[in-house]
Amino acid sequence: MTRFPFGPAAMATLALGLSAQDDAGAGAVAAELAPHAGFVTRYCRDCHGGDLVRAELDLTATQSDPVERLFRLSRLRERVRAGEMPPPDADAPPPAERDAFVAWVDGELRREVPALPPASGRVTVRRLNSAQWRRTVHDLFGVEVATAGFPADDLGYGFDTVGDAMTFSTLHLEKYLAAAGEVAALVFAGEDPEHPAVRRFEGEAMRVARGGGVDQDGDLAVLTTRALLEQTVELPRDGTYRLRIVAGAS
């Protein structure tokens, strides 16, 4: 084995060379990750940078959009904090380094998120999906209407409430109008509030609940002794009703 003696100058040169290589490697990350470039280089960049970019997350590309940049930091924070990244088959950072990285991201988010400009752009106006429509009708009118016949709601990013993904077709319109008619029939029962229906019950048709001496003849019920007559009435809904009894003595 050949031995090469190294003096202080040679050792200093070697140390500087290694330091330069580390700095070069640490610098090959996105600019916003520079404060923790060493951490990202050691534990993240092998799978998220250079020739290999998993999950569409490239940590060597600087993100110019502030919202996307902070969203990427938030994703990193959640994965590192939960211990999901680095994966189990890779070198794991010591708890102190992990905590330091998470704390740094927390500070960045606290400092920069409040300074983000208000969101511009427009929110797509959307219809209620089937479940929302059914619950809204129940909350407003207290009736249950089946929506099984409604067209299936479109999904966007796994959700059926995203306006950009939801369609509204002629079939949707037909089903919503038919369901609205069903709701109206259940709620209003086809009556005009200004001219409510009048129902009349003849004495001869009432039931004798107690007592005797009741002569039910024609339209009248003639009570010759103490007695109780009953009439069952089914009302369409809760409300205030006027009851008028026509009776007389001879």
Side-chain angles (χ1 to χ4, degrees):
M1 178 182 295
T2 305
R3 297 179 180 272
F4 296 93
F6 289 98
M11 292 297 293
T13 301
L14 179 60
L16 287 174
L18 292 175
S19 176
Q21 291 180 3
D22 289 344
D23 291 342
V29 298
E32 64 266 23
L33 298 171
H36 278 265
F39 181 92
V40 175
T41 299
R42 286 193 297 272
Y43 304 112
C44 309
R45 197 179 62 184
D46 286 349
C47 296
H48 301 285
D51 296 332
L52 180 61
V53 178
R54 291 181 177 173
E56 299 181 358
L57 180 61
D58 186 357
L59 300 181
T60 64
T62 298
Q63 179 57 254
S64 58
D65 182 82
V67 176
E68 292 297 328
R69 176 167 55 83
L70 294 176
F71 176 67
R72 181 164 68 175
L73 280 177
S74 179
R75 288 178 62 192
L76 282 173
R77 175 195 181 278
E78 292 304 317
R79 298 297 185 271
V80 171
R81 182 174 179 270
E84 297 176 4
M85 292 294 165
D89 58 348
D91 293 336
E97 290 189 38
R98 186 190 303 272
D99 293 344
F101 179 78
V102 171
W104 171 73
V105 175
D106 286 342
E108 292 293 298
L109 296 177
R110 282 195 298 268
R111 180 174 60 85
E112 296 195 28
V113 168
L116 289 174
S120 57
R122 295 174 295 178
V123 177
T124 303
V125 177
R126 67 172 182 86
R127 61 175 174 82
L128 299 178
N129 63 24
S130 298
Q132 292 172 329
W133 189 91
R134 186 175 62 253
R135 289 194 293 265
T136 300
V137 167
H138 180 269
D139 290 344
L140 289 176
F141 303 111
V143 297
E144 293 285 350
V145 177
T147 57
F150 282 22
D153 293 311
D154 306 285
L155 296 179
Y157 307 101
F159 298 94
D160 60 0
T161 55
V162 179
D164 289 337
M166 297 180 72
T167 58
F168 191 78
S169 64
T170 303
L171 181 59
H172 281 94
L173 182 59
E174 292 175 355
K175 293 297 183 180
Y176 275 96
L177 287 176
E182 185 178 348
V183 173
L186 291 172
V187 174
F188 300 108
E191 294 183 4
D192 182 357
E194 297 296 328
H195 304 86
V198 177
R199 303 174 65 179
R200 180 184 178 89
F201 303 95
E202 304 294 346
E204 65 168 347
M206 294 183 183
R207 187 176 69 87
V208 180
R210 187 173 65 245
V214 180
D215 183 12
Q216 292 175 289
D217 183 24
D219 295 340
L220 305 176
V222 180
L223 280 64
T224 57
T225 60
R226 294 173 61 90
L228 176 64
L229 300 180
E230 286 186 347
Q231 176 64 49
T232 301
V233 181
E234 293 185 1
L235 301 176
R237 71 186 65 84
D238 293 340
T240 301
Y241 294 85
R242 178 180 296 174
L243 177 65
R244 188 169 73 172
I245 301 175
V246 180
S250 60

